Amino acid sequence: MKKVGVFGSRRRVMRSYLIKRMFDTFQRLGIEVYVDKDYYEALSAELGETPYYNGLIESDDFDLDIALSIGGDGTFLRTAARIGNKEIPILGINEGRLGFLTDINRNDLEDAVEDIFKNYFRVEERSLLQLCPEGAAQLASYNFALNEVALLKRDTSSMLSIHTYIGEDYLTTYQADGLIVATPTGSTAYSLSVNGPIIMPTVNNLVLSPIAPHSLNVRPLVIPDDCIIKVRVESRSSSFLVALDGRSEVFPAGIEFCISRAPYTTKVIKRYSQTFFKTLSDKLMWGIDSRQPF
């Protein structure tokens, strides 16, 4: 019997009839279902009844065969952070906007659940980043990121000076509004919005993408993911932001960080019909000629 955990966003609850059909499918197939407590409360309010389940997930201490993340890519990232190094594969069901991580359409929900029950799916291993402040500084939260680590100016117009080393070799000092260090998975997220390259999610690379660099000859750089990146951030402002998959913290200027590949991966469930190239075509509308009449 499969033990499935359901995670989602309180602010974005899938249409009630689809949710009910999903839980009815779980029950029909004899799947053991555990639901994140916060999401369960939102579901109950939306459905007006108690959905079928075997228990609630109230902490980060849980054991599952598969996790379902219902929402957008942000919900998927939060689910991945909850799972951490438990090696539980995650299926992303899109209830958001673009959705590169959550590429299962709501209309394919029942078929996706059937495939899970039949073990008819593949699992991709996605690399993460680990961020370690040097010296006495500490992160208050989870210091791993599936998409990216971003160093960002905070509340002034002054740019950052980001002294960057690859291993022991000095690379450059980015004079910019910030710097994004992205995984291949994150190459279609924040990094893409600042003209970073798209990288296949299963390759062993990282990309450094400056944000609004104050020099036209500074461009995104792709490096092997076994490199260790060291940065020291200076600014006319007294502080700057460090964001890991959107979770941000404030640090004083002058702090040094080490960014490296994490010692574990996030496992992402993909249906056999869903490839990275099909996702690019669907999400970015590649191959569609806007000159042609509909």
Side-chain angles (χ1 to χ4, degrees):
M1 179 184 293
K2 291 286 186 186
K3 186 187 291 187
V4 173
V6 181
F7 300 82
S9 170
R10 292 182 62 94
R11 297 184 298 276
R12 190 185 296 275
V13 177
M14 185 181 284
R15 298 172 188 178
S16 58
Y17 73 93
L18 291 172
I19 282 287
K20 189 173 188 311
R21 277 166 46 188
M22 182 183 74
F23 279 89
D24 287 346
T25 302
F26 288 149
Q27 189 170 20
R28 175 172 57 82
L29 295 175
I31 295 175
E32 195 173 342
V33 181
Y34 295 83
V35 187
D36 175 64
K37 182 181 178 182
D38 288 343
Y39 188 54
Y40 172 79
E41 291 172 353
L43 283 178
S44 297
E46 174 69 19
L47 294 174
E49 61 181 276
T50 302
Y52 160 79
Y53 75 104
N54 296 91
L56 297 179
I57 300 171
E58 302 186 48
S59 69
D60 292 340
D61 183 16
F62 54 83
D63 179 32
L64 303 167
D65 293 316
I66 287 172
L68 266 61
S69 175
I70 302 174
D73 282 356
T75 303
F76 190 100
L77 293 171
R78 288 189 292 273
T79 301
R82 291 284 300 277
I83 288 172
N85 62 357
K86 295 183 178 66
E87 298 191 346
I88 299 168
I90 310 169
L91 175 69
I93 298 170
N94 188 23
E95 188 59 14
R97 297 183 180 88
L98 196 58
F100 276 94
L101 288 167
T102 53
D103 54 12
I104 300 297
N105 188 285
R106 63 170 71 95
N107 297 323
D108 296 329
L109 181 56
E110 288 177 279
D111 290 340
V113 172
E114 294 271 4
D115 286 348
I116 289 173
F117 183 75
K118 297 173 184 175
N119 286 318
Y120 187 69
F121 58 86
R122 58 190 172 85
V123 176
E124 292 182 356
E125 295 202 24
R126 303 291 185 89
S127 59
L128 295 93
L129 293 169
Q130 181 175 11
L131 177 70
C132 296
E134 299 291 326
Q138 295 292 327
L139 281 161
S141 60
Y142 180 71
N143 67 321
F144 297 92
L146 177 58
N147 268 356
E148 75 276 312
V149 172
L151 310 173
L152 307 165
K153 69 177 186 179
R154 191 182 175 198
D155 53 6
T156 74
S157 59
S158 297
M159 66 183 179
L160 300 179
S161 296
I162 306 170
H163 307 288
T164 307
Y165 293 78
I166 306 299
E168 299 302 320
D169 294 326
Y170 173 71
L171 175 64
T172 189
T173 295
Y174 291 100
Q175 306 282 350
D177 288 356
L179 176 67
I180 300 167
V181 181
T183 65
T185 299
S187 71
T188 51
Y190 195 0
S191 178
L192 182 62
S193 73
V194 296
N195 293 319
I198 293 175
I199 303 176
M200 287 190 65
T202 53
V203 303
N204 300 319
N205 291 124
L206 302 175
V207 57
L208 282 70
S209 298
I211 303 170
H214 291 228
S215 175
L216 292 177
N217 62 1
V218 175
R219 292 290 181 263
L221 175 67
V222 178
I223 63 173
D225 70 358
D226 59 356
C227 293
I228 296 176
I229 303 165
K230 297 179 182 178
V231 295
R232 185 176 78 256
V233 182
E234 295 179 351
S235 173
R236 292 177 184 174
S237 174
S238 60
S239 61
F240 65 98
L241 286 178
V242 175
L244 295 89
D245 289 345
R247 309 182 309 273
S248 61
E249 296 186 28
V250 178
F251 281 88
I255 289 288
E256 296 184 7
F257 293 94
C258 178
I259 304 170
S260 61
R261 183 180 60 197
Y264 65 91
T265 61
T266 292
K267 294 175 170 54
V268 181
I269 293 175
K270 295 292 182 181
R271 300 180 73 191
Y272 283 109
S273 60
Q274 194 69 38
T275 67
F276 178 63
F277 303 111
K278 184 177 186 303
T279 298
L280 287 179
S281 177
D282 292 344
K283 305 298 183 180
L284 300 182
M285 296 184 290
W286 284 7
I288 296 177
D289 188 347
S290 61
R291 298 170 296 179
Q292 297 299 321
F294 291 100

